[in-house]
Amino acid sequence: MLAGRMMDFPLTVTHLLERARSYFPDTEIVSRRPDKSLVRHTYAEMHGRACQLANALTRLGVRKGARVATLSWNHVAHLEAYLAVPAMGAVVHTLNLRLHPNEITYIARHAEDEVVIVDHSLLPLFAKVRDGVPSIRHVIVVPDAGPAPEGSGHDYEALLAGERPEHDFPRLDENAAAMICYTSGTTGNPKGVVYSHRSTVLHTLVACMRDTIGVGEDDVVLPVVPMFHAAAWGLPYSAVATGAKLVFPGPHLDPASLLDLMAREKVTLAAGVPTIWIGILAALDAAPGTHDLSSMRTMIIGGSAAPASMIEGFQKRHGLEVTHAWGMTETNPLGTVARVKRSVAGRDEAQRLSARASQGYAVTFVEKRHVDDTGKVLPRDGETMGELEVRGPWVAASYYGDEGHDRWTSDGWFKTGDVVTIDADGYMRITDRSKDVIKSGGEWISSVALENALMAHPSVLEAAVFAARHPRWDERPLAAIVLKPGKTATNAELDAHLAGAFAKIWLPDDYLFVEQIPRTSTGKFLKSKLREQYGDHLMK
Ligand code: AMP
């Protein structure tokens, strides 16, 4: 073999941080506080503050490999931890503030967090966690809602103020850990996924590609997706890598606050789970023309299936483009993006929409396939359902600790637990999580396909379809429906709405009209709860 003669230059987060100061010192980072006021920092200031944080953590005894946790909303201090902690060789661990305190305690203990950076506004939550995590040596309170109360820990701003705004970051091995993020653990305990510098950087580069998410210096990026949910889909790193302006919403994730921020800061790219966008679409429909979203280039939707009716509604009624993407905590998280390829662009509108509403095809360097129960690779015919498997440089090779080995195949693929079809163009469509699959008389029924169709009904705001036990068919689909305010719908109307598109045996046996659908900490429908509550509905 003739070896290449190029430099062995490590792919590290440190480079992103230093580059931001060199080339984009004046670019703004806007953060919304709990009292709704906005604070502004430049990249140069953020760089200085990240250095101060690294100096402070060094002084507190944080060594390479140590875990520094965050329990925070999206804001500039969280970004500083995203950059300073990995750059100094330690590991940033994003705790999910929507979890039950017992779960947060389990996760922080498992990761052996030494330092916790916590928002003042989240201190009541943290109080229920702290005593259960003996590894915690220091608490640093971000004074988002007032200075750190006596005895709660170090005040973040006071701590930084005592440090020099420069730090000599070490040269790191690109395979060193940069961040730990835990899965939401709807089955079994949450599991730690350890992103490396290399995986983070490669993910960032591919995320910035035009056909992926596409982030550039002239963008104004609003990560609505929390920074504790799979690294906010890498957007903070993508923005820093390119010098894009960042807008952080803090705790204000309601449609009115987000729309105000989008218009005020001229956001070009925003990202979040479908629930957020369902709310935003309803607000825009209720008051068309009130919000100036003319700067918006695209809205990234992922984390759960984006209904085609929503994608179409944004485009047709408000001229807004949606980009649908799929990923997992285990994939850093980007895996696929639903771009309309040249081969599809020439087809009719329904086919183009179907491509955009699919979960898309794999991004560069992620490989995907779907397999049957015996591991046989299935045909890309758009019909055969099987479990999705992926591999690539930012796909987890194992979990932190000694768990979950059964998630990897002997030939090196990660078993996602998602059931999909893949069509001849490579577009994948998620039909279910494997644990949510509905098996009726031996037939698989796709809950996601039914949900998407139901959410296209003019009276339906949200629909979750799940399996209920049935004396004859084992399982039958039931639909939990949240109606739009002031709207009505009957079972017969909903059946008629679905009948055109689905075989009769796919139609739900009943519709349950509910106030809200239970959700996981990251905004997905919690179907295990629905099954628990209504699983015997058809046995009576
Ligand atoms: P998490 O690790 O919490 O991000 O959850 C990952 C899971 O979310 C995936 O395995 C999918 O089941 C689901 N998911 C993510 N993106 C999508 C999407 N665009 N459509 C449907 N399901 C999705």
Side-chain angles (χ1 to χ4, degrees), residues 146-282:
E150 194 63 36
S152 62
H154 304 275
D155 183 281
Y156 186 88
E157 294 299 335
L159 195 66
L160 263 54
E163 301 292 342
R164 281 186 327 123
E166 279 150 38
H167 185 89
D168 196 9
F169 289 106
R171 187 181 163 97
L172 299 170
D173 180 335
E174 65 179 19
N175 286 307
M179 178 183 279
I180 302 193
C181 190
Y182 277 69
T183 62
S184 50
T186 39
T187 46
N189 281 327
K191 296 184 185 61
V193 182
V194 188
Y195 306 145
S196 63
H197 280 264
R198 177 185 153 84
S199 75
T200 305
V201 168
L202 290 173
H203 180 273
T204 303
L205 297 180
V206 169
C208 290
M209 286 171 64
R210 185 151 60 88
D211 287 343
T212 306
I213 287 183
V215 182
E217 193 267 341
D218 56 356
D219 271 314
V220 180
V221 178
L222 170 68
V224 182
V225 48
M227 290 167 82
F228 56 75
H229 184 195
W233 305 347
L235 282 171
Y237 291 125
S238 297
V240 172
T242 54
K245 173 175 164 179
L246 268 165
V247 179
F248 289 122
H252 300 289
L253 305 183
D254 59 289
S257 302
L258 290 172
L259 283 164
D260 169 71
L261 207 53
M262 288 172 191
R264 195 191 284 265
E265 298 299 325
K266 301 196 170 21
V267 168
T268 61
L269 196 153
V273 293
T275 338
I276 297 281
W277 300 109
I278 286 171
I280 287 184
L281 181 59

Side-chain angles (χ1 to χ4, degrees), residues 182-185 229-230 233 274 301-306 324-331 333 336 357-359 388 407 414 416-419 428 430 432-435 448 520-522 524:
Y182 277 69
T183 62
S184 50
H229 184 195
W233 305 347
I301 307 193
S304 300
H324 190 199
W326 168 92
M328 308 179 73
T329 304
E330 287 91 334
T331 66
T336 67
S358 78
Q359 277 70 20
L388 175 70
R407 296 293 298 273
F414 174 68
T416 64
D418 283 330
V419 178
M428 131 185 144
I430 295 203
D432 267 301
R433 284 295 286 165
S434 53
K435 61 184 191 304
V448 177
T520 69
S521 63
T522 50
K524 301 179 210 304

Side-chain angles (χ1 to χ4, degrees), residues 82-391:
Y82 256 52
L83 294 161
V85 174
M88 62 187 285
V91 187
V92 62
H93 173 202
T94 51
L95 290 166
N96 179 343
L97 56 89
R98 296 228 174 84
L99 293 176
H100 188 277
N102 292 349
E103 286 177 292
I104 302 177
T105 305
Y106 169 86
I107 290 170
R109 277 179 83 107
H110 191 268
E112 295 174 275
D113 295 331
E114 287 184 25
V115 176
V116 179
I117 300 173
V118 52
D119 288 0
H120 181 294
S121 57
L122 296 169
L123 282 173
L125 170 64
F126 183 59
K128 298 183 187 142
V129 171
R130 160 123 218 199
D131 290 347
V133 191
S135 55
I136 297 176
R137 293 190 294 112
H138 295 283
V139 177
I140 304 175
V141 180
V142 178
D144 64 338
E150 194 63 36
S152 62
H154 304 275
D155 183 281
Y156 186 88
E157 294 299 335
L159 195 66
L160 263 54
E163 301 292 342
R164 281 186 327 123
E166 279 150 38
H167 185 89
D168 196 9
F169 289 106
R171 187 181 163 97
L172 299 170
D173 180 335
E174 65 179 19
N175 286 307
M179 178 183 279
I180 302 193
C181 190
Y182 277 69
T183 62
S184 50
T186 39
T187 46
N189 281 327
K191 296 184 185 61
V193 182
V194 188
Y195 306 145
S196 63
H197 280 264
R198 177 185 153 84
S199 75
T200 305
V201 168
L202 290 173
H203 180 273
T204 303
L205 297 180
V206 169
C208 290
M209 286 171 64
R210 185 151 60 88
D211 287 343
T212 306
I213 287 183
V215 182
E217 193 267 341
D218 56 356
D219 271 314
V220 180
V221 178
L222 170 68
V224 182
V225 48
M227 290 167 82
F228 56 75
H229 184 195
W233 305 347
L235 282 171
Y237 291 125
S238 297
V240 172
T242 54
K245 173 175 164 179
L246 268 165
V247 179
F248 289 122
H252 300 289
L253 305 183
D254 59 289
S257 302
L258 290 172
L259 283 164
D260 169 71
L261 207 53
M262 288 172 191
R264 195 191 284 265
E265 298 299 325
K266 301 196 170 21
V267 168
T268 61
L269 196 153
V273 293
T275 338
I276 297 281
W277 300 109
I278 286 171
I280 287 184
L281 181 59
L284 290 175
D285 284 343
T290 323
H291 305 276
D292 176 11
L293 298 190
S294 53
S295 306
M296 189 67 81
R297 197 163 53 71
T298 194
M299 300 172 318
I300 313 288
I301 307 193
S304 300
S309 54
M310 177 172 74
I311 297 175
E312 200 179 21
F314 271 118
Q315 188 175 28
K316 287 215 164 131
R317 301 201 290 279
H318 307 285
L320 291 167
E321 195 202 287
V322 165
T323 306
H324 190 199
W326 168 92
M328 308 179 73
T329 304
E330 287 91 334
T331 66
N332 215 178
L334 260 185
T336 67
V337 178
R339 295 273 173 209
V340 176
K341 288 198 285 186
R342 202 190 290 261
S343 58
V344 178
R347 300 190 192 149
D348 66 28
E349 201 184 330
Q351 283 174 298
R352 289 200 304 272
L353 178 63
S354 159
R356 293 178 58 214
S358 78
Q359 277 70 20
Y361 54 94
V363 302
T364 311
F365 273 113
V366 170
E367 294 179 357
K368 72 172 175 15
R369 67 182 188 185
H370 70 321
V371 299
D372 69 10
D373 290 348
T374 67
K376 193 179 95 192
V377 177
L378 295 168
R380 297 187 164 200
D381 58 9
E383 280 177 16
T384 315
M385 294 185 209
E387 183 177 359
L388 175 70
E389 295 181 345
V390 291
R391 64 179 182 189

